[in-house]
Amino acid sequence: MITLANITGSAPKRVLPGFGLSLGISLTFVSLMLLLPMTSLFGQLSGISLAEYWRIITDGRVVASYIVTIGAAAVAALVNAAFGLLLAWVLVRYDFPGKRLLDALMDLPFALPTAVAGITLATLYSSNGWMGRLLDPLGIQVAYTWVGIALAMAFTSIPFVVRTVQPVLEDLPNEVDEAALTLGASDATAFRRVILPHLWPALVTGTGLAFVRSLGEFGAIIFIAGNAPYETEITALMIFVRLQEYDYVGASAIASVVLAVSLALLLAINIWQGRFIKRLHGGRG
Amino acid sequence: MQRIGDAPRVRRILVISAVLLAALFLLLPLVAIFAQAFAQGVEVFWRNVSNHYTVRAIGLTLFITVLTIPVCLVFGVALAWLVTRFSFPGRRLLQTLIDIPFAVSPVVAGLVYLLLYGRNGWIGNWLDGYDIQLMFAWPGILMVTIFVTCPFVARELIPLMQAQGSRDEEAAVTLGASGWTLFRRVTLPNIRWALLYGVILTNARAVGEFGAVSVVSGAIRGQTNTLPLHLEQLYQDYNTVGAFSSAALLALIALLTLAAKASLEWRAARQEA
């Protein structure tokens, strides 16, 4: 058995104080607040058979919610990849009046409570809202359709792309531009062949994080989603619905799918990022 | 110096489209919140905000936030100190684990707490014997709020403390500083702005958490309703102006958060220059 004493004992002598204290606080917190609650999910699921578990997570209404959630999240992430790249580029490369304001505005979706974003978007895009009134005559329905779900997802996750691409773009030396242009490349070619390869890892990471966040988002979506079974129900809402029916096992089974997918994606993003950093720094880091 | 996309025409098109899209996508919702809140005048807004249930919801939200911040501070500083100042087996794993709350859907976070500490969970069941109820009461709200906000402080501190290295602190120890003096006189002045920013982020998220809180709160009006839950109820009751009055208060906190962030960044940039 590993005790605190033999962890500290086996390590080389430490100069700085506080190892025991900070290890104690961190481990207590991580086990009580993070790991222990997670185990309750498995405790709840251990009571049912594998067939039962499979039946719950492949129920028609639940599967429809996976499709809606993943589809809308994919659209939102792709839109954000383009929009985020444009904003990061403009914020890093150009000077214009109101730039600081635009930069600050980028963090709004993280600072604004999701429920506030939810009711605001629902009100704006409903048929008598400011945006809805403009879009309705064109036959574009946003509120209470999957487009609204994608919109809410895109709103809450845009900072991920901007804030991951921005620092990489800032660190790119001007010589890169100059070399490409001196050699006669057009702007578009130079961007695609020279700049984009540098930004690619950050762009994929940011888009991936935005996608993961969209998969789990709840507060911003439920108000604009309409929540019609089989059509505009997201998976997070399915968990919520099962809970309101006091079906704890059903809620846990669906939650375990959501949890597994988000953790797997997060791990994949970390590995992808780690591999790229290794390539950049020649095996270090 | 020649740079890609510096031709005036390209530049103009890109700047204008970025500003327009951002205005439509981000600024318009912000304006809409305040327009809706004040749609029937300042007086109605004020009546909505000073309504008994709204005041109770504000009180509970502040109470939860005030308790959450110190817990996150202690944990964040301890964890950042641990992973940046010592190397030990499992260090990387610990750093990955604290990101879990960012990856987990808020609804799933609420659910796992409900399963463990609710009356049907093994800890909840045991506490029930002593007549202690955590879920559908403020302790449950506090617990899930701590869960969703705990990575912020650590996340801000770790990269900074890693970059700063431990030379200053080692020097202080060699000169005979005790642990507390070392932290107060050497470490704290170095990390104070990152620490403050971590607290601001924690505060913003703690005030606005919805998904996780709505699972464990039970949303009893005047008792376990936080401000975001309160505005949801008003909105479902078709009291749009009432809902947006609460939303405006939360949006104001968000704006203060953005302003604080901008001023901290400005300060950091000036220090570098």
Side-chain angles (χ1 to χ4, degrees), chain A residues 7 11-12 14-23 25-27 29-30 32-41 44 80 83 86-87 89-90 92-97 100 102-125 130-131 144 151 154-155 158 163 174-178 180-182 186-188 190-191 194-195 212-213 215-220 222-223 236-237 239-240 243 248 251-252 255-256 258-259 262-263 266-267 270 285, chain B residues 1-7 10-11 14-15 17-19 21-33 35-36 71 74-75 77-82 85-89 92 94 96-108 111-117 120 122-123 136 142-144 146-147 150 166 169-170 173-174 177-179 182 197 204-205 207-211 214-215 228 231-232 235-236 240 243-244 246-248 250-251 253-255 257-258 261-263 265-266:
Chain A
I7 294 177
R14 297 169 210 284
V15 182
L16 294 174
F19 179 74
L21 181 68
S22 58
L23 184 73
I25 294 176
S26 301
L27 287 187
F29 188 91
V30 166
L32 275 183
M33 297 301 291
L34 297 183
L35 298 179
L36 190 63
M38 291 294 161
T39 57
S40 67
L41 206 56
Q44 190 70 226
N80 271 347
F83 182 42
L86 170 70
L87 278 160
W89 178 267
V90 166
V92 172
R93 289 295 179 115
Y94 305 137
D95 270 317
F96 52 94
R100 296 254 324 248
L102 186 68
D103 192 37
L105 196 62
M106 285 303 113
D107 286 316
L108 178 72
F110 280 175
L112 197 67
T114 53
V116 175
I119 64 166
T120 309
L121 292 175
T123 306
L124 268 180
Y125 287 90
W130 295 348
M131 293 301 289
Y144 317 123
L151 179 84
F155 179 86
I158 179 70
R163 297 299 187 220
N174 283 333
E175 287 76 21
V176 174
D177 283 50
E178 205 177 23
L181 294 179
T182 326
S186 71
D187 267 10
F191 180 79
V194 181
I195 306 272
V212 175
R213 167 72 197 255
L215 289 183
E217 185 49 47
F218 177 71
I222 51 161
F223 297 100
L237 180 73
I239 301 172
F240 202 77
L243 268 177
Y248 285 18
S252 306
S256 71
V258 176
L259 189 64
S262 4
L263 289 183
L266 200 70
L267 192 70
N270 274 338
Chain B
M1 176 69 78
Q2 212 187 352
R3 294 203 311 175
I4 294 169
D6 264 3
V10 177
R11 190 193 171 99
L14 290 181
V15 171
S17 49
V19 169
L21 283 170
L24 196 68
F25 195 54
L26 298 171
L27 195 59
L28 189 67
L30 193 59
V31 174
I33 296 169
Q36 293 281 350
V71 176
V74 170
F75 165 70
V77 171
L79 188 89
W81 181 260
L82 182 70
R85 295 298 179 256
F86 306 106
S87 71
F88 54 94
R92 287 289 293 274
L94 202 57
T96 315
L97 284 179
I98 63 143
D99 275 343
I100 288 181
F102 281 164
V104 170
S105 171
V107 177
V108 177
L111 170 71
V112 294
Y113 272 83
L114 188 60
L115 292 177
L116 184 64
Y117 296 103
N120 298 323
W122 61 273
I123 292 184
F136 307 117
L142 178 65
M143 288 161 90
V144 296
I146 291 173
F147 177 89
C150 68
S166 55
E169 281 129 3
E170 277 159 15
V173 169
T174 323
S178 70
L182 166 74
Y197 185 43
R205 184 72 198 266
V207 167
E209 179 50 33
F210 176 75
S214 69
V215 172
L231 78 84
E232 183 208 9
Y235 186 80
Q236 308 288 19
T240 311
F244 276 98
S246 295
L250 291 167
I253 296 173
L255 287 178
T257 307
L258 297 186
K261 184 189 178 218
S263 80
E265 272 172 358
W266 180 71

